[in-house]
Amino acid sequence: MNKAKPVERELSSKKTALILEGAMQEFLEHGYAGARIDRIVEAAGVSKATVYRHFPDKEALFTALIQQMSCRKNIFEFQSQQSFEESPSVFLKRYASAMLENVAEDPQILTFLRIIIGESGRFPELARAFVVNLEKVSLDFLTQYLTKHPQLQIADPEVTARAFIGTLIHFVMIRDVLQSGDLVPIERDRLLDGLIDLIVR
Amino acid sequence: MNKAKPVERELSSKKTALILEGAMQEFLEHGYAGARIDRIVEAAGVSKATVYRHFPDKEALFTALIQQMSCRKNIFEFQSQQSFEESPSVFLKRYASAMLENVAEDPQILTFLRIIIGESGRFPELARAFVVNLEKVSLDFLTQYLTKHPQLQIADPEVTARAFIGTLIHFVMIRDVLQSGDLVPIERDRLLDGLIDLIVR
DNA sequence: GTCTATACCAAGATAGAC
DNA sequence: GTCTATCTTGGTATAGAC
């Protein structure tokens, strides 16, 4: 009557975490089709059969992993420290800088972007989760910020938020994801300050 | 003394073209690791041995194909019809519309973008060829256009060109590549006109 | 629930006839 | 130069012992 049932549950989820951790490096590095269960098994330190006891197949493991990552690898993560004296141009500079620092601090964000986009044809639901969890949140946040500062005289905050985020993402794409910053060089601060000038004037 | 040697050469390159054509659908649809030589062979209507007589291995076939496509699938293709009466805002609208129409007319551009980005970690040279042939060309073109119209009072044409292209690419990424336009909806013309207002004022 | 060992199949690449 | 047939490897997934 006093059997320790919950303990088994916990062991099980510990293995699940190990598997997902091992799967992360493998899928991020090799993509979906290029990923090898053998390497995931090795990295996780479990047996192959254990993987298939926790996940029905390779595809389920992949989608579970990416959905989990969509909540953790947030390129737009930002401490909105509500310093009210802060001028909009300073705020926008901080916001953009935070995003670029997130990318610099965690290069896994780059491989995450590569796989989301690369597999978006075969796994559209994962792409859509990415857009809802990351893109939409930051677009809405920026739109609201611009709307709440009418002194900026922003004609269409939604469009302006798009231009701001779009320019930043495009910059990261060229420089970091495609590793071609040297081919179309531009200084970080020149782009950021010029972009903010375009918006705040 | 009158042997028809050139004929063989031509047959050979005909096969090469067939193989590349078959490889295109296969690589674009399934990515590098997911592509199957068997399916390329079937689509091209040649034997597997013929493929390996023309290309050393799968990787060489892939890089040859993508390099060829970087010259043909130009998302920024645009008839610069030099109508001098055309105002900058009309010109910019035409330029942006042309890009969006290129995407709409040839959905292979989308799968091409997916594979370039998705494989940019393993094939950085292909990503760099893409940036040089497509991104850089259009960035330079737009920068020059903005510079040649000083009445626009563009503070930093290079940055403005980045913002313009970046906003467009980002829009295409969300809507078409990631198939998530409905999640962060915005009307095409509202974005384009708003973006141009941001630049030309 | 987890492991070892294995079934089963499909992939990339090649040998040898023509 | 091109084909058919085949080799070899390595993949996903599972069976059966513990």
Side-chain angles (χ1 to χ4, degrees):
Chain A
M1 212 84 167
N2 246 345
K3 282 286 163 68
K5 212 158 138 201
V7 173
E8 288 175 5
R9 278 271 166 83
E10 231 167 316
L11 282 173
S12 170
S13 41
K14 219 168 203 169
K15 292 279 181 190
T16 303
L18 280 173
I19 294 167
L20 284 171
E21 201 175 337
M24 182 160 63
Q25 357 175 154
E26 181 63 15
F27 279 121
L28 289 183
E29 189 171 346
H30 297 95
Y32 175 72
R36 298 297 165 233
I37 304 283
D38 284 3
R39 285 195 290 253
I40 293 176
V41 159
E42 194 178 7
V46 300
S47 82
K48 215 185 284 194
T50 302
V51 169
Y52 281 97
R53 203 157 284 282
H54 287 257
F55 300 93
D57 55 17
K58 186 183 180 181
E59 187 170 321
L61 174 56
F62 178 67
T63 56
L65 171 75
I66 299 297
Q67 263 157 5
Q68 180 200 249
M69 288 191 71
S70 276
C71 307
R72 301 203 184 157
K73 298 282 173 192
N74 188 352
I75 192 175
F76 299 107
E77 201 149 8
F78 177 65
Q79 310 295 341
S80 178
Q81 56 193 57
Q82 291 295 22
S83 49
F84 289 109
E85 317 109 65
E86 201 175 48
S87 74
S89 56
V90 168
F91 170 85
L92 291 173
K93 183 77 180 273
R94 260 207 319 123
Y95 187 82
S97 300
M99 189 198 124
L100 295 178
E101 271 160 37
N102 287 340
V103 171
E105 275 174 20
D106 184 0
Q108 264 188 349
I109 288 180
L110 299 178
T111 52
F112 179 64
L113 287 174
R114 283 192 193 106
I115 206 167
I116 285 284
I117 296 168
E119 305 291 351
S120 59
R122 277 169 298 266
F123 298 95
E125 333 75 39
L126 297 182
R128 293 170 64 79
F130 168 81
V131 170
V132 160
N133 292 329
L134 306 183
E135 288 271 0
K136 179 170 168 47
V137 168
S138 63
L139 282 173
D140 287 350
F141 173 75
L142 250 188
T143 301
Q144 223 178 24
Y145 177 87
L146 296 173
T147 306
K148 278 183 185 164
H149 290 72
Q151 77 274 21
L152 284 174
Q153 301 263 37
I154 307 280
D156 191 332
E158 223 167 303
V159 166
T160 304
R162 291 257 183 176
F164 190 74
I165 303 262
T167 306
L168 289 179
I169 292 278
H170 183 248
F171 176 67
V172 167
M173 280 284 170
I174 298 283
R175 192 191 60 170
D176 303 314
V177 174
L178 301 181
Q179 305 169 67
S180 306
D182 56 319
L183 299 175
V184 280
I186 193 163
E187 214 191 328
R188 191 202 98 119
D189 281 322
R190 182 177 161 202
L191 180 70
L192 261 46
D193 295 335
L195 175 60
I196 291 167
D197 276 357
L198 221 49
I199 291 171
V200 182
R201 59 168 180 182
Chain B
M1 213 74 162
N2 247 344
K3 282 283 165 71
K5 212 157 135 202
V7 173
E8 288 175 4
R9 280 272 166 84
E10 233 167 318
L11 280 174
S12 170
S13 42
K14 220 169 203 167
K15 291 280 181 189
T16 303
L18 280 174
I19 293 167
L20 284 171
E21 202 174 337
M24 182 157 66
Q25 354 175 157
E26 182 63 16
F27 279 121
L28 288 184
E29 189 170 347
H30 297 95
Y32 175 72
R36 299 295 162 231
I37 303 283
D38 285 2
R39 284 195 291 252
I40 294 177
V41 159
E42 193 179 9
V46 300
S47 81
K48 212 186 287 195
T50 302
V51 169
Y52 281 96
R53 204 155 286 283
H54 287 256
F55 299 94
D57 54 17
K58 187 183 179 181
E59 186 170 322
L61 174 56
F62 178 66
T63 56
L65 171 75
I66 299 298
Q67 262 156 7
Q68 181 200 248
M69 287 191 72
S70 275
C71 306
R72 301 204 183 156
K73 298 281 172 190
N74 188 353
I75 191 176
F76 298 108
E77 201 150 12
F78 178 65
Q79 310 292 342
S80 178
Q81 55 194 58
Q82 291 296 22
S83 48
F84 289 107
E85 319 109 65
E86 201 175 47
S87 74
S89 56
V90 168
F91 170 85
L92 290 173
K93 183 77 179 270
R94 261 209 316 123
Y95 187 83
S97 300
M99 189 200 122
L100 294 178
E101 271 161 36
N102 287 339
V103 170
E105 275 173 20
D106 184 0
Q108 264 188 347
I109 288 180
L110 299 178
T111 52
F112 179 64
L113 287 175
R114 282 192 194 107
I115 205 166
I116 284 284
I117 295 169
E119 305 292 349
S120 59
R122 276 169 299 267
F123 298 95
E125 334 76 41
L126 298 181
R128 292 171 65 78
F130 167 80
V131 170
V132 160
N133 293 329
L134 305 183
E135 287 270 0
K136 180 171 166 48
V137 168
S138 64
L139 281 173
D140 288 349
F141 173 75
L142 249 189
T143 301
Q144 223 178 26
Y145 177 86
L146 296 173
T147 307
K148 277 184 184 162
H149 291 72
Q151 77 275 20
L152 284 176
Q153 302 264 38
I154 307 280
D156 192 332
E158 222 168 302
V159 166
T160 304
R162 291 256 183 174
F164 191 74
I165 303 260
T167 306
L168 290 179
I169 292 278
H170 183 248
F171 177 67
V172 168
M173 280 287 170
I174 298 283
R175 193 192 60 171
D176 303 314
V177 174
L178 300 181
Q179 306 169 66
S180 305
D182 56 321
L183 299 177
V184 280
I186 192 162
E187 216 190 327
R188 191 201 98 121
D189 282 320
R190 182 177 160 201
L191 180 71
L192 262 46
D193 295 334
L195 175 61
I196 292 167
D197 277 357
L198 222 46
I199 292 170
V200 183
R201 59 170 178 180

